[in-house]
Protein backbone atom coordinates (compact mmCIF):
# COMPACT_ATOMS: atom_id res chain seq x y z
CA UNK A 1 0.00 0.00 0.00
CA UNK A 2 2.81 2.42 0.95
CA UNK A 3 4.56 1.32 -2.21
CA UNK A 4 1.48 2.31 -4.21
CA UNK A 5 1.46 5.83 -2.78
CA UNK A 6 5.21 6.23 -3.35
CA UNK A 7 4.73 5.68 -7.11
CA UNK A 8 8.29 4.43 -7.50
CA UNK A 9 9.65 7.76 -6.21
CA UNK A 10 7.51 9.84 -8.58
CA UNK A 11 4.78 10.55 -6.00
CA UNK A 12 5.47 14.32 -5.99
CA UNK A 13 4.67 14.44 -9.72
CA UNK A 14 1.94 11.82 -10.09
CA UNK A 15 -0.33 12.69 -7.15
CA UNK A 16 -0.44 16.48 -7.64
CA UNK A 17 -1.35 15.83 -11.29
CA UNK A 18 -4.21 13.56 -10.23
CA UNK A 19 -5.35 15.87 -7.42
CA UNK A 20 -5.46 18.92 -9.68
CA UNK A 21 -7.34 16.98 -12.35
CA UNK A 22 -9.91 15.73 -9.81
CA UNK A 23 -10.38 19.24 -8.44
CA UNK A 24 -10.74 20.86 -11.86
CA UNK A 25 -13.20 18.26 -13.15
CA UNK A 26 -15.26 18.46 -9.95
CA UNK A 27 -15.45 22.26 -10.03
CA UNK A 28 -16.48 22.27 -13.69
CA UNK A 29 -19.41 19.99 -12.83
CA UNK A 30 -20.48 21.71 -9.60
CA UNK A 31 -20.36 25.27 -10.99
CA UNK A 32 -23.28 24.97 -13.47
CA UNK A 33 -25.38 22.98 -10.99
CA UNK A 34 -25.07 25.76 -8.42
CA UNK A 35 -25.61 28.46 -11.03
CA UNK A 36 -28.86 26.81 -12.16
CA UNK A 37 -30.17 26.59 -8.59
CA UNK A 38 -29.33 30.22 -7.96
CA UNK A 39 -30.98 31.30 -11.24
CA UNK A 40 -34.18 29.36 -10.47
CA UNK A 41 -34.33 30.98 -7.04
CA UNK A 42 -33.80 34.41 -8.54
CA UNK A 43 -36.42 33.91 -11.27
CA UNK A 44 -39.02 32.52 -8.87
CA UNK A 45 -38.49 35.53 -6.61
CA UNK A 46 -39.15 37.82 -9.58
CA UNK A 47 -42.23 35.78 -10.51
CA UNK A 48 -43.78 35.99 -7.02
CA UNK A 49 -43.01 39.70 -6.89
CA UNK A 50 -44.85 40.22 -10.18
CA UNK A 51 -47.74 38.11 -8.92
CA UNK A 52 -48.01 40.24 -5.81
CA UNK A 53 -47.89 43.58 -7.64
CA UNK A 54 -50.61 42.29 -9.98
CA UNK A 55 -52.96 41.37 -7.12
CA UNK A 56 -52.54 44.70 -5.42
CA UNK B 1 -48.19 17.63 -28.10
CA UNK B 2 -50.67 18.44 -30.84
CA UNK B 3 -48.21 18.53 -33.73
CA UNK B 4 -49.18 16.01 -36.41
CA UNK B 5 -47.81 14.01 -38.09
CA UNK B 6 -45.20 13.04 -35.51
CA UNK B 7 -42.41 11.92 -37.81
CA UNK B 8 -38.74 11.69 -36.88
CA UNK B 9 -38.19 15.00 -38.63
CA UNK B 10 -40.67 16.94 -36.50
CA UNK B 11 -39.25 15.23 -33.44
CA UNK B 12 -35.79 16.36 -34.46
CA UNK B 13 -36.97 19.92 -34.94
CA UNK B 14 -38.68 19.91 -31.58
CA UNK B 15 -35.45 18.72 -29.96
CA UNK B 16 -33.85 21.94 -31.14
CA UNK B 17 -36.45 24.00 -29.30
CA UNK B 18 -35.19 25.21 -25.92
CA UNK B 19 -37.92 23.72 -23.65
CA UNK B 20 -37.64 20.23 -25.15
CA UNK B 21 -33.87 20.30 -25.04
CA UNK B 22 -33.97 21.50 -21.44
CA UNK B 23 -36.29 18.66 -20.47
CA UNK B 24 -34.45 15.96 -22.44
CA UNK B 25 -31.06 17.01 -21.02
CA UNK B 26 -32.52 16.81 -17.52
CA UNK B 27 -33.67 13.24 -18.17
CA UNK B 28 -30.36 12.12 -19.72
CA UNK B 29 -27.96 13.71 -17.23
CA UNK B 30 -28.31 11.17 -14.37
CA UNK B 31 -27.53 8.32 -16.78
CA UNK B 32 -24.54 10.19 -18.19
CA UNK B 33 -23.28 10.77 -14.63
CA UNK B 34 -23.53 7.05 -13.78
CA UNK B 35 -21.68 6.00 -16.95
CA UNK B 36 -19.03 8.66 -16.31
CA UNK B 37 -18.39 7.55 -12.71
CA UNK B 38 -18.26 3.87 -13.73
CA UNK B 39 -15.70 4.66 -16.46
CA UNK B 40 -13.60 6.70 -14.03
CA UNK B 41 -13.56 3.92 -11.42
CA UNK B 42 -12.64 1.27 -14.01
CA UNK B 43 -10.07 3.48 -15.75
CA UNK B 44 -8.36 4.60 -12.54
CA UNK B 45 -8.22 1.06 -11.16
CA UNK B 46 -6.85 -0.28 -14.43
CA UNK B 47 -4.38 2.58 -14.86
CA UNK B 48 -3.07 3.01 -11.34
CA UNK B 49 -3.30 -0.55 -10.00
CA UNK B 50 -3.52 -3.17 -12.75
CA UNK B 51 -1.30 -1.69 -15.48
CA UNK B 52 2.42 -2.53 -15.11
CA UNK B 53 5.04 0.23 -14.74
CA UNK B 54 6.66 1.42 -17.97
CA UNK B 55 10.01 -0.22 -18.71
CA UNK B 56 11.64 3.17 -19.41
CA UNK B 57 9.64 5.69 -17.38
CA UNK B 58 8.71 3.56 -14.36
CA UNK B 59 5.65 4.74 -12.46
CA UNK B 60 5.83 8.34 -13.69
CA UNK B 61 4.16 7.37 -16.96
CA UNK B 62 0.85 6.91 -15.05
CA UNK B 63 0.23 10.62 -15.61
CA UNK B 64 -0.66 9.50 -19.14
CA UNK B 65 -4.12 8.42 -17.90
CA UNK B 66 -5.09 12.02 -17.21
CA UNK B 67 -2.71 13.89 -19.53
CA UNK B 68 -3.69 12.25 -22.80
CA UNK B 69 -7.48 12.31 -22.21
CA UNK B 70 -7.21 16.00 -21.22
CA UNK B 71 -5.21 16.78 -24.34
CA UNK B 72 -7.61 14.86 -26.58
CA UNK B 73 -10.60 16.61 -25.01
CA UNK B 74 -8.96 20.02 -25.34
CA UNK B 75 -8.95 19.49 -29.11
CA UNK B 76 -12.28 17.66 -29.34
CA UNK B 77 -14.10 20.41 -27.45
CA UNK B 78 -12.51 23.05 -29.66
CA UNK B 79 -13.82 21.17 -32.70
CA UNK B 80 -17.29 21.20 -31.10
CA UNK B 81 -16.93 24.91 -30.36
CA UNK B 82 -15.98 25.66 -33.97
CA UNK B 83 -18.67 23.40 -35.48
CA UNK B 84 -21.49 24.81 -33.33
CA UNK B 85 -20.16 28.31 -34.04
CA UNK B 86 -20.41 27.65 -37.77
CA UNK B 87 -23.95 26.28 -37.35
CA UNK B 88 -24.97 29.32 -35.31
CA UNK B 89 -23.58 31.68 -37.94
CA UNK B 90 -25.22 29.90 -40.88
CA UNK B 91 -28.61 28.89 -39.45
CA UNK B 92 -28.92 31.30 -36.52
CA UNK B 93 -29.71 28.34 -34.29
CA UNK B 94 -29.98 29.44 -30.67
CA UNK B 95 -29.20 26.01 -29.31
CA UNK B 96 -25.92 25.87 -31.23
CA UNK B 97 -24.96 29.22 -29.72
CA UNK B 98 -25.71 27.86 -26.25
CA UNK B 99 -23.60 24.74 -26.85
CA UNK B 100 -20.69 26.86 -28.09
CA UNK B 101 -20.80 29.17 -25.08
CA UNK B 102 -21.18 26.23 -22.71
CA UNK B 103 -18.24 24.37 -24.24
CA UNK B 104 -15.59 27.08 -24.08
CA UNK B 105 -14.88 27.09 -20.30
CA UNK B 106 -14.83 23.28 -20.19
CA UNK B 107 -12.43 23.14 -23.11
CA UNK B 108 -10.24 25.72 -21.42
CA UNK B 109 -10.19 23.54 -18.30
CA UNK B 110 -9.05 20.49 -20.28
CA UNK B 111 -6.36 22.52 -22.03
CA UNK B 112 -5.14 23.83 -18.67
CA UNK B 113 -5.02 20.27 -17.33
CA UNK B 114 -3.17 18.99 -20.40
CA UNK B 115 -0.54 21.71 -19.94
CA UNK B 116 -0.11 21.27 -16.17
CA UNK B 117 -0.12 17.46 -16.11
CA UNK B 118 2.27 17.52 -19.06
CA UNK B 119 4.54 19.83 -17.12
CA UNK B 120 4.43 17.51 -14.08
CA UNK B 121 5.34 14.64 -16.37
CA UNK B 122 8.01 16.58 -18.24
CA UNK B 123 9.97 17.56 -15.15
CA UNK B 124 11.04 14.03 -14.12
CA UNK B 125 11.32 12.74 -17.72
CA UNK B 126 12.83 15.64 -19.67
CA UNK B 127 14.32 17.47 -16.71
CA UNK B 128 12.32 20.62 -17.38
CA UNK B 129 8.83 21.92 -16.62
CA UNK B 130 8.48 23.68 -19.94
CA UNK B 131 10.09 24.03 -23.37
CA UNK B 132 9.01 26.32 -26.17
CA UNK B 133 8.63 23.54 -28.67
CA UNK B 134 5.89 23.14 -31.26
CA UNK B 135 3.55 20.81 -29.35
CA UNK B 136 3.63 22.70 -26.07
CA UNK B 137 3.45 26.13 -27.67
CA UNK B 138 0.52 25.26 -29.94
CA UNK B 139 -1.36 23.80 -26.96
CA UNK B 140 -0.71 27.02 -25.04
CA UNK B 141 -2.11 28.98 -28.00
CA UNK B 142 -5.22 26.77 -27.77
CA UNK B 143 -5.67 27.88 -24.16
CA UNK B 144 -5.40 31.53 -25.26
CA UNK B 145 -7.98 30.90 -28.01
CA UNK B 146 -10.43 29.56 -25.44
CA UNK B 147 -9.76 32.44 -23.06
CA UNK B 148 -10.02 34.95 -25.91
CA UNK B 149 -13.37 33.49 -26.95
CA UNK B 150 -14.69 33.67 -23.39
CA UNK B 151 -13.46 37.23 -22.88
CA UNK B 152 -14.93 38.38 -26.19
CA UNK B 153 -18.33 36.82 -25.52
CA UNK B 154 -18.39 38.24 -21.98
CA UNK B 155 -17.42 41.72 -23.17
CA UNK B 156 -20.43 42.21 -25.49
CA UNK B 157 -23.73 42.85 -23.74
CA UNK B 158 -26.11 41.73 -26.45
CA UNK B 159 -26.26 37.93 -26.26
CA UNK B 160 -26.65 37.24 -29.98
CA UNK B 161 -24.05 39.77 -31.11
CA UNK B 162 -21.64 38.33 -28.56
CA UNK B 163 -22.22 34.79 -29.84
CA UNK B 164 -21.68 35.88 -33.44
CA UNK B 165 -18.42 37.69 -32.68
CA UNK B 166 -17.20 34.71 -30.66
CA UNK B 167 -18.18 32.34 -33.47
CA UNK B 168 -15.92 34.13 -35.96
CA UNK B 169 -12.98 33.94 -33.54
CA UNK B 170 -13.65 30.24 -32.87
CA UNK B 171 -13.76 29.39 -36.58
CA UNK B 172 -10.56 31.28 -37.37
CA UNK B 173 -8.81 29.48 -34.50
CA UNK B 174 -9.54 26.07 -36.00
CA UNK B 175 -6.29 26.36 -37.98
CA UNK B 176 -4.51 25.63 -34.71
CA UNK B 177 -5.96 22.10 -34.39
CA UNK B 178 -4.01 20.41 -37.21
CA UNK B 179 -0.91 22.32 -36.06
CA UNK B 180 -1.23 20.76 -32.59
CA UNK B 181 -1.90 17.31 -33.98
CA UNK B 182 0.93 17.22 -36.51
CA UNK B 183 3.39 19.32 -34.50
CA UNK B 184 5.24 16.23 -33.29
CA UNK B 185 5.75 15.12 -36.89
CA UNK B 186 6.42 18.46 -38.60
CA UNK B 187 8.99 19.74 -36.14
CA UNK B 188 11.72 18.21 -34.05
CA UNK B 189 10.33 18.24 -30.57
CA UNK B 190 10.95 16.92 -27.12
CA UNK B 191 7.38 15.69 -26.96
CA UNK B 192 7.01 12.04 -27.90
CA UNK B 193 5.24 11.09 -31.11
CA UNK B 194 1.76 9.58 -31.29
CA UNK B 195 1.43 6.24 -29.55
CA UNK B 196 -2.25 5.42 -29.80
CA UNK B 197 -3.44 7.02 -33.02
CA UNK B 198 -0.85 5.42 -35.26
CA UNK B 199 -2.95 3.52 -37.74
CA UNK B 200 -0.72 0.50 -38.33
CA UNK B 201 -0.22 -0.53 -34.73
CA UNK B 202 -0.41 1.45 -31.52
CA UNK B 203 2.94 1.23 -29.73
CA UNK B 204 1.44 0.71 -26.31
CA UNK B 205 0.77 -2.53 -24.40
CA UNK B 206 -2.86 -3.62 -24.28
CA UNK B 207 -2.91 -3.59 -20.45
CA UNK B 208 -1.91 0.08 -20.61
CA UNK B 209 -4.14 0.93 -23.58
CA UNK B 210 -7.45 -0.30 -22.12
CA UNK B 211 -7.34 1.95 -19.00
CA UNK B 212 -6.34 4.86 -21.25
CA UNK B 213 -9.37 4.34 -23.45
CA UNK B 214 -11.61 3.98 -20.38
CA UNK B 215 -10.30 7.27 -19.04
CA UNK B 216 -10.82 8.90 -22.43
CA UNK B 217 -14.43 7.69 -22.30
CA UNK B 218 -14.82 9.01 -18.76
CA UNK B 219 -13.60 12.44 -19.85
CA UNK B 220 -16.02 12.41 -22.78
CA UNK B 221 -18.97 11.72 -20.51
CA UNK B 222 -17.70 14.34 -18.07
CA UNK B 223 -17.77 16.87 -20.89
CA UNK B 224 -21.24 15.74 -21.96
CA UNK B 225 -22.56 16.15 -18.42
CA UNK B 226 -21.10 19.55 -17.64
CA UNK B 227 -21.86 20.87 -21.15
CA UNK B 228 -25.53 19.88 -20.85
CA UNK B 229 -25.70 21.39 -17.36
CA UNK B 230 -24.28 24.65 -18.73
CA UNK B 231 -26.61 24.68 -21.75
CA UNK B 232 -29.56 24.30 -19.36
CA UNK B 233 -28.43 27.39 -17.44
CA UNK B 234 -27.96 29.27 -20.74
CA UNK B 235 -31.47 28.27 -21.85
CA UNK B 236 -33.08 29.29 -18.53
CA UNK B 237 -31.30 32.62 -18.64
CA UNK B 238 -32.08 33.50 -22.25
CA UNK B 239 -35.71 32.30 -22.00
CA UNK B 240 -36.36 33.91 -18.63
CA UNK B 241 -39.29 35.94 -19.93
CA UNK B 242 -41.15 33.02 -21.52
CA UNK B 243 -44.22 31.28 -20.12
CA UNK B 244 -42.62 27.85 -19.82
CA UNK B 245 -39.72 29.14 -17.70
CA UNK B 246 -42.21 31.01 -15.55
CA UNK B 247 -44.25 27.85 -14.86
CA UNK B 248 -41.03 25.91 -14.29
CA UNK B 249 -39.61 28.26 -11.67
CA UNK B 250 -42.93 28.79 -9.85
CA UNK B 251 -43.53 25.03 -9.65
CA UNK B 252 -39.97 24.49 -8.37
CA UNK B 253 -40.30 27.19 -5.73
CA UNK B 254 -43.50 25.87 -4.17
Amino acid sequence: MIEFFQMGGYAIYVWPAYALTALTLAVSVIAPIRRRKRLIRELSAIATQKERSRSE
Amino acid sequence: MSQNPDTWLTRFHRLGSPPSFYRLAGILMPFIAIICIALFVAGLYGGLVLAPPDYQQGESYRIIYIHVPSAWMSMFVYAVLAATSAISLIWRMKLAEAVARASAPVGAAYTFLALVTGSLWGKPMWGTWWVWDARLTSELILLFLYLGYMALVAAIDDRRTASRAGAVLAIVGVVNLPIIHFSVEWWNTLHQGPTVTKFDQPSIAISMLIPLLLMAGAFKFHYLYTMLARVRVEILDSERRTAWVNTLVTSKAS
Side-chain angles (χ1 to χ4, degrees):
Chain A
M1 201 62 180
I2 292 165
E3 208 178 314
F4 173 74
F5 285 109
Q6 281 173 343
M7 275 289 148
Y10 293 112
I12 55 158
Y13 303 107
V14 174
W15 295 122
Y18 274 85
L20 187 73
T21 304
L23 184 74
T24 308
L25 296 188
V27 167
S28 80
V29 164
I30 293 164
I33 292 172
R34 291 186 58 180
R35 220 177 311 139
R36 190 175 78 95
K37 281 194 184 136
R38 209 182 319 133
L39 186 61
I40 286 175
R41 238 190 343 254
E42 183 196 320
L43 293 180
S44 78
I46 295 170
T48 49
Q49 212 169 17
K50 263 191 203 151
E51 203 60 45
R52 212 170 293 155
S53 65
R54 206 173 297 151
S55 61
E56 269 167 19
Chain B
M1 298 276 160
S2 58
Q3 278 174 305
N4 278 316
D6 199 16
T7 61
W8 66 270
L9 193 68
T10 59
R11 261 186 224 155
F12 181 76
H13 276 290
R14 215 184 301 146
L15 185 64
S17 87
S20 330
F21 188 90
Y22 184 90
R23 222 167 292 137
L24 183 71
I27 294 166
L28 289 178
M29 278 167 65
F31 297 100
I32 293 168
I34 290 166
I35 295 169
C36 177
I37 291 166
L39 284 169
F40 264 121
V41 170
L44 286 171
Y45 185 70
L48 292 175
V49 181
L50 295 183
D54 187 66
Y55 78 103
Q56 276 182 326
Q57 305 194 0
E59 308 282 354
S60 76
Y61 95 96
R62 295 192 195 278
I63 293 176
I64 198 175
Y65 297 113
I66 43 181
H67 173 71
V68 168
S70 301
W72 280 346
M73 289 309 289
S74 73
M75 296 171 69
F76 174 79
V77 174
Y78 197 90
V80 173
L81 174 63
T84 49
S85 290
I87 291 169
S88 75
L89 279 186
I90 298 165
W91 288 294
R92 297 284 153 89
M93 195 176 160
K94 264 193 196 165
L95 190 61
E97 283 177 20
V99 173
R101 298 163 70 120
S103 295
V106 193
Y110 293 134
T111 313
F112 166 75
L113 284 178
L115 288 166
V116 176
T117 56
S119 186
L120 282 162
W121 193 4
K123 183 61 185 168
M125 289 302 112
W126 304 338
T128 176
W129 300 103
W130 183 263
V131 281
W132 290 102
D133 84 342
R135 174 53 73 81
L136 280 71
T137 308
S138 55
E139 185 75 11
L140 185 65
I141 290 170
L142 185 67
L143 180 63
F144 292 152
L145 280 171
Y146 277 122
L147 297 181
Y149 175 91
M150 287 158 67
L152 183 60
V153 169
I156 302 172
D157 279 333
D158 180 66
R159 183 182 286 273
R160 306 220 73 174
T161 316
S163 286
R164 229 170 301 151
V168 175
L169 174 70
I171 291 164
V172 172
V174 148
V175 70
N176 193 35
L177 287 189
I179 294 177
I180 298 174
H181 182 75
F182 292 109
S183 59
V184 285
E185 291 169 22
W186 290 344
W187 291 283
N188 256 326
T189 147
L190 212 50
H191 197 284
Q192 66 192 60
T195 39
V196 178
T197 55
K198 275 194 296 196
F199 288 114
D200 43 350
Q201 208 178 25
S203 53
I204 177 171
I206 196 81
S207 58
M208 296 177 176
L209 179 64
I210 288 170
L212 182 58
L213 296 179
L214 288 171
M215 289 299 278
F219 271 68
K220 233 180 223 130
F221 277 89
H222 170 270
Y223 165 64
L224 208 54
Y225 186 92
T226 179
M227 185 269 280
L228 289 178
R230 282 155 202 269
V231 169
R232 289 184 98 205
V233 181
E234 291 273 346
I235 288 174
L236 270 190
D237 197 18
S238 62
E239 304 263 304
R240 55 165 69 210
R241 276 176 242 288
T242 60
W244 74 270
V245 170
N246 195 53
T247 23
L248 184 98
V249 295
T250 45
S251 69
K252 283 247 175 173
S254 57

